[in-house]
Amino acid sequence: MNRAHGGERTVYRAKFSSITDTDILNAMNRLGEPNKNEALSVDARQELDLRIGCAFTRFQTKYFQGKYGNLDSSLISFGPCQTPTLGFCVERHDKIQSFKPETYWVLQVKVSRGQENPLILDWDRVRVFDREIAQMFINITKTAKEAQVESVSKKEKAKQRPQALNTVEMLRVASSALGMGPQHTMQIAERLYTQGYISYPRTETTHYPENFDLKGTLRQQANNPFWADMVKTLLAEGINRPRKGTDAGDHPPITPMRSATEAELGGDAWRLYEYITRHFIATISHDCKYLQTSIAFSVGPEKFTTTCKEVISPGFTEIMPWQGIPKEESFQPCERGDKFSVDEMKLMEKQTCPPDYLTEAELISLMERHGIGTDASIPVHINNICQRNYVTVESGRRLKPTSLGIVLVHGYYKIDPELVLPTIRSAVEKQLNLIAQGKANFQQVLDHTLDIFKRKFHYFVDSIAGMDELMEVSFSPLAATGKPLSRCGKCHRFMKYIQAKPSRLHCSHCDETYSLPQNGTIKLYKELRCPLDDFELVLWSSGSRGKSYPLCPYCYNHAPFRDMKKGMGCNECTHPTCQHSLSMLGIAQCVECESGVMVLDSTSGPKWKMSCNKCNVIVHFFENAHRVRVSAETCDACDAAVVHVDFNKAKCPLPADQTQHAGCVFCDPVFQDLVELKHATMKHPMHKGGQGRRQGRGRGRGRRANPKKPKDKMAALAAYFV
């Protein structure tokens, strides 16, 4: 790699598909320049998805969450791929709802010969939908007491071994056979790849490269106890040439890179690894061969058939037994003209059945067929419609649309069907592929597509009343939702607490909605009011083992001071005199994060604790104390606020009859043994804790704005770290 002249940077790209010494060294020996066209194609896809998705999502979310209280979704999102994905699920739901069962009749005959097992014959007409005609057929057939063999045909057939494994097929099988969702499957596959057990799991290719070392890869599995015998037999007899697949030009098919055991991987990781390995061995095994025998009968004027399959050579089904031919009892030899006695003849009444809800495997196939998403993004789109509460995953990994998902899709169809149909996204994907091939101009495709969706967005905004009419039927308005909780500071009437996601407070008199912290419980906080706006305070809690803090609904949505941001509670409020603020309850800088302050939780007694107002660190202290109060004084050694504690006389750690003590939580020898550091149990890992600038324990009252970290604080807490 020679240094370029003129100061410009020279960038090379290493391409490898597995984390092995050989692959990495080969990649470094064959460095190439990055493909600018492929990079531009990715840039175009990202920009289109971001700009289109943000515009529609922001408008939908603000419009409908401001009107309806029981949507039960924190984000009413739109995505150029996500929405057609939802469209497939709702389309199947609509077919189920509109399905009208029809009655039909089937003629079934059971015949036998001597002591042989009876045979059930299939009617060549299959079924009829008119009862009178069905009755006519059974009447003319009933007169026959014997069934005559018209022909016996035997044909050797083969069930083909699978093609090499790509991402989409892996996701399909993982969902249908292993019961694992696509997102979960990809996470496990990526972990197996980074640990060196399998090759790169994101590929559209189903054809092994000509120089692929099939024998070497197979030989690595020769000592695995689960399939060692089959592998050794295959190596001794010689491997079969894999079926020709599709070379998408990205990465080789997914294959095992080294042997592993169940004890080594465990759980879902082992199940996925086992399938990938068995699939690889199957691709270089022989086809499954079987003999299919068909016997045609005549019973009076009507024709009937029965079929039987016998395995000749199991081939690849030995390593993939679930793909095997079901074992059936073979027919006794018979010839044309042989006669069987008719044991039973009946007319069976049945009804047509509606289709079932789409499985994840079926949805993946539809997305691939219509060009919605890529092998890498398909799991993300399916996961999104589940997380947004547009569909629920039922037994058998079937996707059932919710009321919100159904209304959204029906609304898109009503306003602009192209927003939900797969056609427009499929056309965009083709244009993006042309950019990658250097056959289309990046800027022209980007501008043209954005112009189309800009027009669609404006028309959607102007026509939103059409979707709103559907929403009104399925959901309740904000004023009719929720239960009274706290008083509004403007009209002093009760605001209603709406628990459905996103949880919020709504004042029907002022027609104002106030967002709240998510993923926790909300209750009234002692009927205390904010000194700034007279709103009643509420208490947010993540549970008995987690954090809790009070907040003013108005201040939480409209930051009262310049050094505050929207979404901050009282534990981050810089009000100089409010008894619930950071200024009055802040003790010291957080022991772990740089920007947080440890704040006393005044509601936690008698199991007192202080918690960081940024991260999930909690310090438990002074259990069973009557009262804990933060003083304006500070510790000389570490700058932490001095804490006054009034202990329970029966459980007081102080000498003699003393029950009160003041000191630094971290430096005072009396307090040090009463401190225990933990991490809060949060109901959701992405709980908003605020990302404001570094703040101190407060302003005023003589405290320093940015206290130092106590030198021995970590040492004092290390013994109790959990």
Side-chain angles (χ1 to χ4, degrees):
M1 295 171 63
N2 298 319
R3 184 169 295 176
H5 299 288
E8 69 269 19
R9 290 185 299 174
T10 305
V11 179
Y12 292 93
R13 184 178 179 185
K15 294 183 180 181
F16 53 91
S17 299
S18 63
I19 303 178
T20 62
D21 293 349
T22 305
D23 268 34
I24 300 294
L25 289 171
N26 287 341
M28 293 303 292
N29 289 329
R30 294 197 303 268
L31 294 174
E33 293 185 359
N35 188 316
K36 186 178 180 181
N37 291 327
E38 288 179 355
L40 287 173
S41 177
V42 172
D43 287 346
R45 181 181 284 107
Q46 286 180 337
E47 186 169 344
L48 288 172
D49 288 352
L50 180 64
R51 293 176 70 172
I52 295 167
C54 281
F56 280 89
T57 298
R58 186 187 296 117
F59 173 71
Q60 286 182 168
T61 303
K62 294 187 74 174
Y63 185 87
F64 290 119
Q65 283 186 355
K67 293 193 69 174
Y68 303 102
N70 57 342
L71 291 176
D72 199 26
S73 180
S74 55
L75 192 70
I76 305 173
S77 60
F78 174 93
C81 290
Q82 175 197 129
T83 304
T85 302
L86 174 62
F88 291 130
C89 299
V90 176
E91 182 184 10
R92 176 61 64 87
H93 169 83
D94 291 343
K95 286 180 180 177
I96 295 170
Q97 295 301 309
S98 61
F99 182 84
K100 292 181 180 178
E102 289 186 78
T103 304
Y104 64 91
W105 289 265
V106 175
L107 189 57
Q108 189 181 84
V109 176
K110 185 187 289 186
V111 300
S112 64
R113 185 176 61 176
Q115 299 299 314
E116 296 174 10
N117 290 327
L119 303 174
I120 295 175
L121 310 183
D122 298 320
W123 194 18
D124 283 7
R125 295 184 190 273
V126 184
R127 60 186 179 179
V128 293
F129 287 88
D130 191 306
R131 183 179 177 81
E132 291 182 4
I133 294 175
Q135 193 64 48
M136 178 196 72
F137 281 125
I138 195 168
N139 288 339
I140 63 175
T141 311
K142 265 184 179 178
T143 56
K145 300 300 179 185
E146 290 183 325
Q148 182 172 310
V149 176
E150 294 293 326
S151 66
V152 179
S153 65
K154 294 188 176 184
K155 190 174 182 181
E156 189 175 307
K157 292 190 173 183
K159 186 174 183 178
Q160 281 191 312
R161 61 200 178 280
Q163 288 184 325
L165 185 64
N166 66 1
T167 305
V168 170
E169 182 63 17
M170 179 184 71
L171 296 175
R172 269 198 293 253
V173 173
S175 177
S176 60
L178 305 181
M180 293 160 54
Q183 183 85 339
H184 180 55
T185 301
M186 283 310 302
Q187 289 171 349
I188 292 172
E190 285 166 0
R191 190 164 70 245
L192 289 172
Y193 163 68
T194 55
Q195 291 173 344
Y197 289 105
I198 64 172
S199 61
Y200 191 62
R202 298 180 186 271
T203 177
E204 296 177 5
T205 296
T206 57
H207 180 73
Y208 294 115
E210 294 302 322
N211 60 349
F212 193 88
D213 187 6
L214 294 169
K215 282 188 177 179
T217 306
L218 183 64
R219 205 172 284 117
Q220 290 181 333
Q221 304 295 331
N223 295 319
N224 192 298
F226 290 92
W227 41 74
D229 293 341
M230 288 174 273
V231 169
K232 287 174 182 175
T233 303
L234 203 56
L235 287 168
E237 295 177 356
I239 63 173
N240 194 21
R241 187 178 179 83
R243 284 173 58 195
K244 187 171 178 62
T246 303
D247 186 358
D250 48 1
H251 291 271
I254 305 167
T255 54
M257 299 310 299
R258 60 188 173 104
S259 184
T261 62
E262 187 173 2
E264 193 175 339
L265 298 178
D268 289 343
W270 163 252
R271 293 167 64 219
L272 185 61
Y273 173 83
E274 181 186 16
Y275 166 69
I276 291 169
T277 306
R278 287 182 180 274
H279 189 106
F280 165 71
I281 297 170
T283 61
I284 50 178
S285 298
H286 295 277
D287 291 344
C288 171
K289 294 179 181 178
Y290 62 94
L291 182 68
Q292 180 171 295
T293 305
S294 297
I295 307 175
F297 289 87
S298 62
V299 182
E302 289 304 296
K303 306 297 182 185
F304 296 84
T305 310
T306 186
T307 305
C308 174
K309 296 174 182 175
E310 294 179 78
V311 175
I312 300 171
S313 170
F316 78 93
T317 61
E318 196 174 0
I319 191 72
M320 298 177 81
W322 61 91
Q323 294 274 15
I325 304 295
K327 193 172 183 180
E328 298 176 356
E329 195 167 327
S330 58
F331 294 151
Q332 294 297 324
C334 62
E335 297 177 355
R336 188 174 186 275
D338 286 358
K339 297 187 183 297
F340 285 66
S341 61
V342 177
D343 297 339
E344 185 182 10
M345 185 182 299
K346 59 183 177 182
L347 194 62
M348 300 178 67
E349 183 179 310
K350 297 184 177 183
Q351 279 194 327
T352 54
C353 297
D356 211 335
Y357 285 104
L358 284 177
T359 62
E360 286 174 333
E362 291 168 338
L363 180 58
I364 290 167
S365 298
L366 283 171
M367 294 174 72
E368 183 189 29
R369 189 184 313 149
H370 291 277
I372 302 299
T374 63
D375 57 342
S377 64
I378 282 175
V380 177
H381 301 317
I382 296 175
N383 188 58
N384 281 342
I385 63 173
C386 294
Q387 285 194 332
R388 303 284 188 268
N389 196 35
Y390 295 162
V391 298
T392 56
V393 182
E394 306 290 315
S395 61
R397 306 296 304 179
R398 295 192 178 275
L399 302 171
K400 184 178 180 180
T402 62
S403 296
L404 179 57
I406 294 165
V407 169
L408 282 174
V409 170
H410 289 174
Y412 295 134
Y413 272 117
K414 191 173 182 180
I415 297 171
D416 184 356
E418 285 191 338
L419 291 176
V420 71
L421 289 172
T423 48
I424 192 165
R425 180 62 190 191
S426 182
V428 171
E429 285 290 345
K430 288 176 182 175
Q431 292 297 312
L432 295 174
N433 288 335
L434 290 176
I435 293 175
Q437 296 165 19
K439 297 178 181 178
N441 180 270
F442 163 80
Q443 199 61 47
Q444 288 178 351
V445 171
L446 186 66
D447 292 344
H448 177 67
T449 308
L450 286 175
D451 183 59
I452 291 173
F453 274 95
K454 184 178 179 181
R455 294 169 188 269
K456 287 183 175 296
F457 176 72
H458 287 305
Y459 181 73
F460 180 75
V461 171
D462 294 339
S463 310
I464 194 65
M467 185 182 284
D468 199 19
E469 290 171 1
L470 300 176
M471 286 280 187
E472 286 176 353
V473 176
S474 301
F475 302 103
S476 305
L478 274 175
T481 311
K483 59 182 181 180
L485 180 69
S486 65
R487 290 186 184 273
C488 171
K490 296 179 180 179
C491 65
H492 300 288
R493 289 178 170 85
F494 276 105
M495 297 187 292
K496 285 188 174 181
Y497 173 46
I498 300 162
Q499 284 185 287
K501 289 183 179 179
S503 59
R504 54 208 188 275
L505 287 168
H506 177 71
C507 178
S508 55
H509 185 264
C510 302
D511 195 22
E512 294 274 0
T513 304
Y514 301 96
S515 60
L516 296 170
Q518 303 298 303
N519 308 302
T521 58
I522 293 285
K523 61 183 181 181
L524 190 63
Y525 184 54
K526 303 178 183 178
E527 296 186 359
L528 298 172
R529 294 178 181 269
C530 176
L532 294 174
D533 47 49
D534 211 31
F535 274 71
E536 280 189 333
L537 302 181
V538 294
L539 183 72
W540 177 87
S541 173
S542 65
S544 58
R545 297 173 61 192
K547 292 169 61 173
S548 60
Y549 57 84
L551 62 107
C552 164
Y554 189 84
C555 294
Y556 187 81
N557 289 269
H558 307 89
F561 302 111
R562 289 183 181 178
D563 55 354
M564 291 180 63
K565 292 181 179 180
K566 180 181 176 180
M568 290 185 171
C570 295
N571 62 345
E572 295 183 83
C573 178
T574 53
H575 191 292
T577 58
C578 176
Q579 60 178 322
H580 314 292
S581 70
L582 171 66
S583 305
M584 301 295 286
L585 298 177
I587 294 177
Q589 187 178 319
C590 178
V591 296
E592 288 198 6
C593 71
E594 290 297 320
S595 58
V597 175
M598 304 299 294
V599 181
L600 173 68
D601 183 349
S602 57
T603 67
S604 59
K607 296 185 177 181
W608 297 93
K609 60 187 176 186
M610 60 178 175
S611 56
C612 176
N613 60 6
K614 298 290 185 186
C615 68
N616 64 343
V617 167
I618 287 182
V619 172
H620 292 268
F621 51 19
F622 316 132
E623 189 170 350
N624 297 313
H626 281 311
R627 188 182 176 204
V628 177
R629 181 172 57 86
V630 181
S631 167
E633 307 164 45
T634 57
C635 173
D636 294 334
C638 69
D639 249 1
V642 171
V643 177
H644 291 259
V645 184
D646 186 357
F647 288 100
N648 185 328
K649 192 171 184 179
K651 299 180 180 180
C652 182
L654 302 177
D657 293 330
Q658 296 180 37
T659 57
Q660 295 183 346
H661 187 77
C664 174
V665 172
F666 308 104
C667 304
D668 193 295
V670 175
F671 285 167
Q672 277 187 353
D673 292 336
L674 306 176
V675 176
E676 181 181 3
L677 175 68
K678 288 191 175 182
H679 283 82
T681 303
M682 308 301 285
K683 293 190 178 181
H684 193 283
M686 295 303 290
H687 166 67
K688 179 174 175 59
Q691 296 298 323
R693 65 177 177 81
R694 186 176 184 179
Q695 296 201 26
R697 292 187 305 277
R699 296 198 308 234
R701 302 192 63 186
R703 295 183 197 164
R704 293 176 61 177
N706 288 303
K708 297 179 291 183
K709 278 196 176 183
K711 294 177 183 177
D712 57 347
K713 186 190 300 182
M714 291 301 290
L717 295 173
Y720 304 101
F721 185 78
V722 176

